[in-house]
Amino acid sequence: MNKIDAKMNGPVPSLETIGHLASTMKVELSTRFLEHFSEQLYSSPQKAFEELISNSWDAGADFVDVRISPQLSNPDATMCILDNGASMDEDGLRDLWHIAFSPKRDNPIQHGRSVVGKFGIGKLATYVLASRLTFICKASDGKIRRVTMDYGNIDRQKGLKADRLISDLELEIFEATDADVKLALAVAEGGEVLLDLISNGLKVDLSDADQASEFGGVKAELTRPKKDTWTLVVLSGLKPTGQALKLHVLRRMLEAALPFGSEMLIRVNGSRLFSSKTDFPVVK
């Protein structure tokens, strides 16, 4: 189904609306903490976006596909990150939104590799980028679940009081089907590519000779579940900071900061990234 066909057949669900309600969870969040943490530490949209790639690394992913709308000022523009990491079941999603809590803190090795995040707050960097943050996850139990954080709702509550602890924020956990995901991706930016990747199990070839090792380092033996798990993160309702993201700056930042080669392959709008470190001679 293409975009035209979808419109002719009536309303089509978006990636942030798919599924049927399965359960709910309570989230406590200080509006002042959210504002200071995200806006002060992540004034760069590229740096805020990088946190999502770090989450893919921590999930044991060795393949990440990023799709960013070419015109970020468009109202329907999105940023999507798909990875083949371990993903999250319902308990994992509850842990995700247990603010300032992270199981990584007491276990710095996850899925066979050292993790980046330890404090459970990096995802809040996305507050500066978008009004809505959606996680769509296929966990090892085979179920597809969706959770959407509406930052716009937090902004409306924040307006009532400058420093407010929102303790009655309720997030809904939805269960979706493969058909739901397929229908929603049919009208999403880069959706056809993402759907093809999901359908084929997000398999990736990391055997390239020039990228086969991290300068002699030993490749981590990943221990994540091998049941076609995946996570799709969608940023929508982009804020001015999100609209200011520069794709070439993001590519350069990711190439300089993250592991590549035999550890993880990253593509941004179809272009594979290569570590900038390969431009330097190996001294030892």
Side-chain angles (χ1 to χ4, degrees):
M1 177 188 294
N2 57 37
K3 295 184 179 183
I4 297 176
D5 292 335
K7 291 178 181 179
M8 291 178 64
N9 289 330
V12 175
S14 67
L15 290 169
E16 59 190 27
T17 63
I18 62 171
H20 62 275
L21 182 62
S23 60
T24 61
M25 57 181 166
K26 296 288 186 181
V27 176
E28 288 193 356
L29 187 60
S30 165
T31 56
R32 177 160 294 181
F33 169 78
L34 177 62
E35 183 174 354
H36 280 272
F37 170 77
S38 58
E39 295 180 1
Q40 298 300 319
L41 294 182
Y42 294 96
S43 56
S44 160
Q46 291 79 218
K47 187 61 179 176
F49 189 90
E50 184 188 7
E51 286 289 344
L52 296 173
I53 309 295
S54 297
N55 287 344
S56 297
W57 169 267
D58 289 351
D62 59 12
F63 177 55
V64 180
D65 193 89
V66 177
R67 298 285 157 174
I68 297 177
S69 296
Q71 297 296 328
L72 293 176
S73 59
N74 287 347
D76 58 349
T78 58
M79 301 177 183
C80 298
I81 304 96
L82 174 67
D83 72 56
N84 65 350
S87 199
M88 293 169 284
D89 56 15
E90 182 168 331
D91 288 339
L93 288 169
R94 292 182 184 277
D95 285 344
L96 174 71
W97 287 110
H98 189 175
I99 305 301
F101 162 82
S102 175
K104 304 174 190 177
R105 182 181 303 174
D106 299 323
N107 188 6
I109 304 296
Q110 297 276 321
H111 310 298
R113 60 167 58 142
S114 297
V115 299
V116 176
K118 294 181 176 64
F119 304 107
I121 54 179
K123 59 190 164 290
L124 298 181
T126 56
Y127 173 75
V128 302
L129 299 175
S131 298
R132 294 176 297 280
L133 170 64
T134 297
F135 284 83
I136 302 174
C137 305
K138 184 174 183 180
S140 57
D141 62 2
K143 292 184 178 181
I144 300 174
R145 298 176 177 87
R146 174 184 66 84
V147 171
T148 297
M149 167 62 82
D150 185 351
Y151 288 131
N153 184 40
I154 293 176
D155 288 337
R156 288 186 288 273
Q157 295 196 47
K158 183 177 68 175
L160 301 176
K161 188 177 180 181
D163 185 11
R164 181 176 179 183
L165 176 64
I166 303 177
S167 58
D168 57 350
L169 182 63
E170 188 173 79
L171 291 185
E172 298 175 326
I173 301 176
F174 293 81
E175 291 186 4
T177 64
D178 291 320
D180 291 331
V181 175
K182 181 177 181 179
L183 194 59
L185 280 172
V187 293
E189 183 68 39
E192 292 182 4
V193 175
L194 296 175
L195 180 60
D196 183 65
L197 289 170
I198 290 172
S199 300
N200 288 290
L202 282 87
K203 294 179 175 60
V204 59
D205 182 8
L206 287 167
S207 62
D208 304 56
D210 62 335
Q211 290 284 305
S213 67
E214 298 295 328
F215 297 97
V218 178
K219 179 183 177 181
E221 293 295 331
L222 295 178
T223 58
R224 67 173 190 266
K226 297 181 179 179
K227 296 183 179 178
D228 294 331
T229 59
W230 50 264
T231 299
L232 176 61
V233 182
V234 183
L235 293 168
S236 56
L238 300 184
K239 295 179 178 180
T241 301
Q243 295 175 12
L245 183 140
K246 300 292 189 295
L247 207 55
H248 68 282
V249 177
L250 175 65
R251 286 194 179 101
R252 193 163 60 241
M253 177 180 289
L254 295 177
E255 287 174 339
L258 295 173
F260 285 88
S262 59
E263 296 288 358
M264 188 162 73
L265 184 154
I266 304 175
R267 291 196 318 212
V268 177
N269 284 4
S271 297
R272 178 176 177 178
L273 304 187
F274 292 94
S275 173
S276 60
K277 299 179 182 66
T278 58
D279 295 331
F280 295 91
V282 178
V283 177
K284 184 175 180 180

